[in-house]
């Protein structure tokens, strides 16, 4: 048996991570699809997208972020919401769609904080203690609804500058009370959610996606401290990310699609065309992604896994099969999760497993990430490739 076949066995054999039976080690990372209806329920277009991903071989699907309350919504269109019991049946049908094609599905629960409809009322340093308790209860209730809907696990979104992320980060949390002032108190809100969910649903696996790198915020040391606290509270797995929503191309690295930004981002699309053109060099430099572009959370994920001995998932710049083979066989992490390559090719994992392809077609142009500000998720490169005759039909 060749080394390549051995490596592929490592990747594509089923495994149990964080209380979930995965089909393989390549997961679909949480990606906002903008495919919920006006009430936050999954639409048939979202069913179709998840059906494609499940048939395409992903080890599991982590949903796009699901708001735990009306005030936790994003300002983007089409966000999923699991904020009341009446929506459980709609999500149960989505789970069944995925399970019918053999994939597990994890519900990512989120509150967008001051970056969503709540605005300044959800600023961490302005919130009252009662506000914190309500947030804890909202996450707990949403997790229990996800369990009743049949999800295989829940993932708390503690990354990218959304509410739980800002509560955890020393960059944004300047409080000095029960909910801030040192690493233990900054982690307390998340730990209370974990403990409260586990008290009511001890068999429900809880994953956490959180930052290990931020400008003047979280770093490998503070991430290890937080991960240790999460472990003590009962978390089952960690997904390691980076960056704040105010610096989007630190999170999603690659090209800065300035023309798409001018078309879809409100701050830019109101500017006169001449001013847009004049600002392009400055804006492109200011928004540029740092290096590296590929596998950029690997070092942090390896350090966290080694320190806390919890199942660890790497997200960020995961692209080629050889890179996945290397990071899995080296035991740096237990699994990887992919976002943009699976927007372009929902059946990419199947292609990798059948060895008909070893690199993703995604060019990291990032037009997909800008486009969801105004419309549902799609790959603009794949659409153009099809028109040009070199894409899948």
């Amino acid at each position: 048996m060749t080394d390549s076949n051995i490596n592929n066995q490592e990747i594509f054999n089923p495994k149990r991570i964080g209380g979930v039976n995965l089909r393989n080690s390549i997961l679909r990372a949480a990606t906002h699809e903008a495919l919920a209806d006006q009430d936050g329920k999954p639409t048939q277009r979202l069913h179709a997208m998840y059906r494609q991903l499940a048939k395409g071989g992903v080890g599991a699907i982590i949903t796009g972020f699901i708001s735990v309350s009306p005030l936790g919504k994003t300002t983007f269109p089409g966000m999923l919401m699991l904020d009341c019991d009446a929506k459980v049946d709609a999500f149960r049908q989505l789970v069944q769609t995925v399970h019918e094609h053999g994939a597990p599905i994890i519900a990512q629960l989120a509150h967008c904080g001051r970056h969503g409809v709540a605005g300044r009322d959800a600023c961490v340093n302005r919130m009252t203690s009662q506000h914190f308790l309500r947030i804890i209860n909202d996450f707990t209730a949403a997790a229990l609804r996800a369990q009743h809907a049949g999800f295989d696990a829940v993932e708390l979104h503690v990354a990218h500058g959304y509410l739980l992320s800002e509560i955890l980060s020393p960059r944004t949390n300047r409080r000095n009370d029960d909910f801030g002032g040192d690493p233990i108190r900054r982690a307390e809100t998340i730990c209370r959610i974990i403990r409260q969910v586990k008290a009511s649903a001890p068999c429900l696996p809880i994953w956490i996606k959180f930052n290990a790198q931020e400008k003047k915020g979280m770093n490998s040391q503070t991430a290890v401290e937080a991960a240790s606290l999460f472990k003590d509270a009962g978390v089952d797995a960690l997904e390691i990310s980076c960056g704040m929503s105010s610096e989007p191309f630190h999170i999603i690295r690659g090209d800065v699609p300035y023309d798409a930004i001018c078309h879809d981002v409100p701050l830019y699309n109101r500017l006169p065309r001449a001013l847009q053109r004049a600002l392009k060099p400055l804006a492109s430099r200011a928004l540029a992604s740092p290096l590296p572009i590929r596998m950029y959370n690997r070092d942090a994920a390896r350090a966290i896994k080694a320190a806390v001995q919890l199942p660890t998932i790497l997200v960020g710049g995961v692209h080629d099969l050889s890179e996945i083979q290397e990071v899995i066989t080296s035991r740096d992490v237990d699994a990887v999760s992919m976002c943009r390559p699976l927007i372009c090719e929902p059946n990419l994992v199947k292609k990798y497993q059948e060895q008909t392809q070893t690199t993703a077609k995604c060019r990291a142009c990032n037009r997909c990430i800008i486009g969801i500000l105004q419309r549902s998720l799609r790959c603009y490169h794949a659409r153009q490739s099809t028109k040009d005759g070199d894409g899948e039909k």
Side-chain angles (χ1 to χ4, degrees), residues 136-169:
I136 292 166
N137 289 335
D138 285 343
F139 271 93
T140 302
L144 298 180
R145 292 184 193 111
Q147 183 189 42
H148 294 151
F151 283 96
D152 298 278
V154 296
E155 180 179 74
L156 306 182
H157 195 348
V158 191
H160 307 163
Y162 294 116
L163 182 59
L164 295 186
S165 172
E166 290 204 327
I167 291 171
L168 181 65
S169 175

Short mmCIF file of all heavy atoms in Angstrom, two decimals, residues 136-169:
data_model
loop_
_atom_site.label_atom_id
_atom_site.label_comp_id
_atom_site.label_asym_id
_atom_site.label_seq_id
_atom_site.Cartn_x
_atom_site.Cartn_y
_atom_site.Cartn_z
N ILE A 136 -27.14 33.90 28.28
CA ILE A 136 -26.85 32.52 28.69
C ILE A 136 -28.11 31.66 28.53
O ILE A 136 -28.05 30.54 27.99
CB ILE A 136 -26.34 32.48 30.15
CG1 ILE A 136 -24.96 33.14 30.23
CG2 ILE A 136 -26.29 31.05 30.68
CD1 ILE A 136 -24.51 33.47 31.65
N ASN A 137 -29.24 32.16 28.96
CA ASN A 137 -30.49 31.41 28.86
C ASN A 137 -30.92 31.23 27.40
O ASN A 137 -31.46 30.17 27.02
CB ASN A 137 -31.59 32.09 29.66
CG ASN A 137 -31.37 31.98 31.16
OD1 ASN A 137 -30.70 31.05 31.63
ND2 ASN A 137 -31.91 32.91 31.92
N ASP A 138 -30.69 32.26 26.57
CA ASP A 138 -31.06 32.15 25.16
C ASP A 138 -30.24 31.07 24.46
O ASP A 138 -30.79 30.29 23.66
CB ASP A 138 -30.85 33.50 24.45
CG ASP A 138 -31.91 34.53 24.79
OD1 ASP A 138 -32.98 34.14 25.31
OD2 ASP A 138 -31.67 35.73 24.54
N PHE A 139 -28.95 31.01 24.73
CA PHE A 139 -28.12 29.97 24.13
C PHE A 139 -28.52 28.59 24.63
O PHE A 139 -28.58 27.62 23.85
CB PHE A 139 -26.63 30.23 24.42
CG PHE A 139 -25.95 31.10 23.40
CD1 PHE A 139 -25.86 32.46 23.58
CD2 PHE A 139 -25.39 30.54 22.26
CE1 PHE A 139 -25.24 33.28 22.64
CE2 PHE A 139 -24.76 31.34 21.30
CZ PHE A 139 -24.69 32.71 21.50
N THR A 140 -28.81 28.50 25.91
CA THR A 140 -29.22 27.21 26.47
C THR A 140 -30.51 26.72 25.82
O THR A 140 -30.63 25.56 25.41
CB THR A 140 -29.39 27.32 27.99
OG1 THR A 140 -28.17 27.76 28.58
CG2 THR A 140 -29.79 25.97 28.59
N ALA A 141 -31.49 27.61 25.73
CA ALA A 141 -32.78 27.23 25.14
C ALA A 141 -32.62 26.82 23.69
O ALA A 141 -33.23 25.83 23.22
CB ALA A 141 -33.77 28.38 25.27
N ALA A 142 -31.79 27.54 22.94
CA ALA A 142 -31.58 27.20 21.53
C ALA A 142 -30.88 25.86 21.39
O ALA A 142 -31.19 25.07 20.48
CB ALA A 142 -30.76 28.30 20.84
N ALA A 143 -29.93 25.57 22.28
CA ALA A 143 -29.24 24.28 22.24
C ALA A 143 -30.22 23.13 22.49
O ALA A 143 -30.15 22.08 21.82
CB ALA A 143 -28.12 24.25 23.27
N LEU A 144 -31.13 23.31 23.42
CA LEU A 144 -32.11 22.26 23.70
C LEU A 144 -33.08 22.10 22.53
O LEU A 144 -33.49 20.97 22.21
CB LEU A 144 -32.86 22.59 24.99
CG LEU A 144 -31.99 22.65 26.26
CD1 LEU A 144 -32.84 22.98 27.48
CD2 LEU A 144 -31.24 21.35 26.47
N ARG A 145 -33.42 23.19 21.87
CA ARG A 145 -34.26 23.07 20.67
C ARG A 145 -33.51 22.31 19.57
O ARG A 145 -34.11 21.51 18.85
CB ARG A 145 -34.66 24.46 20.17
CG ARG A 145 -35.60 25.20 21.09
CD ARG A 145 -36.05 26.54 20.53
NE ARG A 145 -36.69 27.33 21.58
CZ ARG A 145 -36.19 28.43 22.11
NH1 ARG A 145 -35.04 28.92 21.65
NH2 ARG A 145 -36.82 29.07 23.07
N ALA A 146 -32.22 22.59 19.43
CA ALA A 146 -31.42 21.87 18.44
C ALA A 146 -31.39 20.37 18.74
O ALA A 146 -31.49 19.54 17.83
CB ALA A 146 -30.01 22.44 18.40
N GLN A 147 -31.29 20.03 20.00
CA GLN A 147 -31.32 18.61 20.37
C GLN A 147 -32.67 18.00 20.00
O GLN A 147 -32.74 16.89 19.43
CB GLN A 147 -31.07 18.44 21.86
CG GLN A 147 -31.03 16.96 22.29
CD GLN A 147 -30.99 16.79 23.80
OE1 GLN A 147 -31.70 17.48 24.53
NE2 GLN A 147 -30.16 15.87 24.27
N HIS A 148 -33.76 18.69 20.30
CA HIS A 148 -35.09 18.18 19.97
C HIS A 148 -35.29 18.05 18.46
O HIS A 148 -36.06 17.19 18.00
CB HIS A 148 -36.17 19.09 20.58
CG HIS A 148 -36.18 19.09 22.07
ND1 HIS A 148 -36.60 20.17 22.82
CD2 HIS A 148 -35.78 18.14 22.96
CE1 HIS A 148 -36.47 19.87 24.11
NE2 HIS A 148 -35.99 18.65 24.22
N ALA A 149 -34.62 18.88 17.69
CA ALA A 149 -34.71 18.80 16.24
C ALA A 149 -33.87 17.67 15.66
O ALA A 149 -34.00 17.37 14.47
CB ALA A 149 -34.28 20.13 15.62
N GLY A 150 -33.02 17.06 16.49
CA GLY A 150 -32.25 15.91 16.04
C GLY A 150 -30.82 16.20 15.62
O GLY A 150 -30.13 15.31 15.09
N PHE A 151 -30.32 17.43 15.83
CA PHE A 151 -28.94 17.73 15.48
C PHE A 151 -28.00 16.82 16.27
O PHE A 151 -28.27 16.45 17.41
CB PHE A 151 -28.62 19.20 15.78
CG PHE A 151 -29.15 20.16 14.76
CD1 PHE A 151 -30.37 20.82 14.97
CD2 PHE A 151 -28.45 20.42 13.60
CE1 PHE A 151 -30.86 21.72 14.03
CE2 PHE A 151 -28.94 21.31 12.65
CZ PHE A 151 -30.14 21.96 12.86
N ASP A 152 -26.89 16.48 15.65
CA ASP A 152 -25.92 15.58 16.27
C ASP A 152 -25.07 16.28 17.33
O ASP A 152 -24.48 15.61 18.19
CB ASP A 152 -25.01 14.97 15.20
CG ASP A 152 -25.81 14.14 14.21
OD1 ASP A 152 -26.09 12.97 14.51
OD2 ASP A 152 -26.16 14.67 13.13
N ALA A 153 -24.99 17.59 17.27
CA ALA A 153 -24.23 18.38 18.23
C ALA A 153 -24.61 19.84 18.01
O ALA A 153 -25.26 20.20 17.03
CB ALA A 153 -22.73 18.19 18.06
N VAL A 154 -24.16 20.69 18.93
CA VAL A 154 -24.25 22.14 18.73
C VAL A 154 -22.83 22.70 18.80
O VAL A 154 -21.96 22.14 19.45
CB VAL A 154 -25.15 22.84 19.77
CG1 VAL A 154 -26.58 22.37 19.63
CG2 VAL A 154 -24.63 22.63 21.18
N GLU A 155 -22.64 23.80 18.09
CA GLU A 155 -21.36 24.51 18.17
C GLU A 155 -21.65 25.96 18.56
O GLU A 155 -22.45 26.64 17.91
CB GLU A 155 -20.62 24.49 16.83
CG GLU A 155 -19.29 25.24 16.87
CD GLU A 155 -18.53 25.19 15.56
OE1 GLU A 155 -18.94 25.90 14.61
OE2 GLU A 155 -17.53 24.46 15.47
N LEU A 156 -21.00 26.42 19.62
CA LEU A 156 -21.13 27.81 20.04
C LEU A 156 -20.17 28.65 19.22
O LEU A 156 -18.97 28.36 19.16
CB LEU A 156 -20.81 27.95 21.53
CG LEU A 156 -21.59 27.06 22.49
CD1 LEU A 156 -21.18 27.36 23.94
CD2 LEU A 156 -23.11 27.24 22.32
N HIS A 157 -20.70 29.72 18.60
CA HIS A 157 -19.87 30.61 17.78
C HIS A 157 -19.23 31.66 18.70
O HIS A 157 -19.87 32.63 19.10
CB HIS A 157 -20.74 31.27 16.72
CG HIS A 157 -19.96 31.92 15.61
ND1 HIS A 157 -18.61 32.13 15.67
CD2 HIS A 157 -20.35 32.42 14.41
CE1 HIS A 157 -18.19 32.72 14.56
NE2 HIS A 157 -19.24 32.90 13.77
N VAL A 158 -17.95 31.43 19.01
CA VAL A 158 -17.21 32.31 19.92
C VAL A 158 -16.05 32.93 19.14
O VAL A 158 -14.96 33.12 19.66
CB VAL A 158 -16.73 31.54 21.16
CG1 VAL A 158 -16.20 32.49 22.24
CG2 VAL A 158 -17.87 30.70 21.76
N ALA A 159 -16.28 33.20 17.85
CA ALA A 159 -15.22 33.71 16.99
C ALA A 159 -15.68 34.95 16.25
O ALA A 159 -16.86 35.31 16.27
CB ALA A 159 -14.77 32.63 16.00
N HIS A 160 -14.73 35.65 15.63
CA HIS A 160 -14.96 36.66 14.60
C HIS A 160 -15.64 37.94 15.09
O HIS A 160 -16.20 38.69 14.30
CB HIS A 160 -15.76 36.06 13.44
CG HIS A 160 -15.14 34.81 12.89
ND1 HIS A 160 -15.83 33.92 12.09
CD2 HIS A 160 -13.90 34.29 13.04
CE1 HIS A 160 -15.04 32.91 11.79
NE2 HIS A 160 -13.85 33.11 12.34
N GLY A 161 -15.60 38.18 16.39
CA GLY A 161 -16.12 39.44 16.91
C GLY A 161 -17.61 39.48 17.16
O GLY A 161 -18.15 40.55 17.47
N TYR A 162 -18.29 38.33 17.04
CA TYR A 162 -19.68 38.30 17.45
C TYR A 162 -19.75 38.30 18.98
O TYR A 162 -18.73 38.34 19.65
CB TYR A 162 -20.39 37.10 16.80
CG TYR A 162 -20.46 37.25 15.30
CD1 TYR A 162 -19.82 36.36 14.45
CD2 TYR A 162 -21.15 38.32 14.72
CE1 TYR A 162 -19.86 36.52 13.07
CE2 TYR A 162 -21.20 38.49 13.34
CZ TYR A 162 -20.55 37.58 12.52
OH TYR A 162 -20.59 37.76 11.15
N LEU A 163 -20.94 38.26 19.55
CA LEU A 163 -21.09 38.60 20.96
C LEU A 163 -20.22 37.75 21.89
O LEU A 163 -19.47 38.29 22.73
CB LEU A 163 -22.56 38.51 21.38
CG LEU A 163 -22.82 38.91 22.84
CD1 LEU A 163 -22.37 40.34 23.12
CD2 LEU A 163 -24.29 38.75 23.17
N LEU A 164 -20.31 36.43 21.79
CA LEU A 164 -19.52 35.59 22.69
C LEU A 164 -18.03 35.80 22.47
O LEU A 164 -17.22 35.70 23.40
CB LEU A 164 -19.89 34.12 22.53
CG LEU A 164 -21.31 33.72 22.93
CD1 LEU A 164 -21.48 32.21 22.85
CD2 LEU A 164 -21.66 34.22 24.33
N SER A 165 -17.64 36.08 21.23
CA SER A 165 -16.25 36.36 20.91
C SER A 165 -15.79 37.64 21.59
O SER A 165 -14.68 37.70 22.17
CB SER A 165 -16.08 36.47 19.39
OG SER A 165 -14.79 36.92 19.04
N GLU A 166 -16.60 38.69 21.55
CA GLU A 166 -16.22 39.95 22.18
C GLU A 166 -16.20 39.82 23.71
O GLU A 166 -15.43 40.50 24.37
CB GLU A 166 -17.17 41.07 21.76
CG GLU A 166 -16.98 41.47 20.30
CD GLU A 166 -17.45 42.89 20.01
OE1 GLU A 166 -18.43 43.34 20.66
OE2 GLU A 166 -16.84 43.54 19.15
N ILE A 167 -17.05 38.95 24.25
CA ILE A 167 -17.02 38.71 25.69
C ILE A 167 -15.72 38.01 26.10
O ILE A 167 -15.12 38.33 27.13
CB ILE A 167 -18.24 37.88 26.12
CG1 ILE A 167 -19.53 38.70 25.97
CG2 ILE A 167 -18.11 37.39 27.56
CD1 ILE A 167 -20.81 37.91 26.16
N LEU A 168 -15.24 37.10 25.27
CA LEU A 168 -14.03 36.33 25.59
C LEU A 168 -12.76 37.14 25.37
O LEU A 168 -11.76 36.93 26.06
CB LEU A 168 -13.99 35.06 24.73
CG LEU A 168 -12.81 34.12 24.95
CD1 LEU A 168 -12.85 33.51 26.36
CD2 LEU A 168 -12.81 33.01 23.90
N SER A 169 -12.76 38.05 24.42
CA SER A 169 -11.52 38.70 23.99
C SER A 169 -11.10 39.85 24.90
O SER A 169 -11.90 40.75 25.20
CB SER A 169 -11.69 39.25 22.57
OG SER A 169 -10.54 39.97 22.18
#
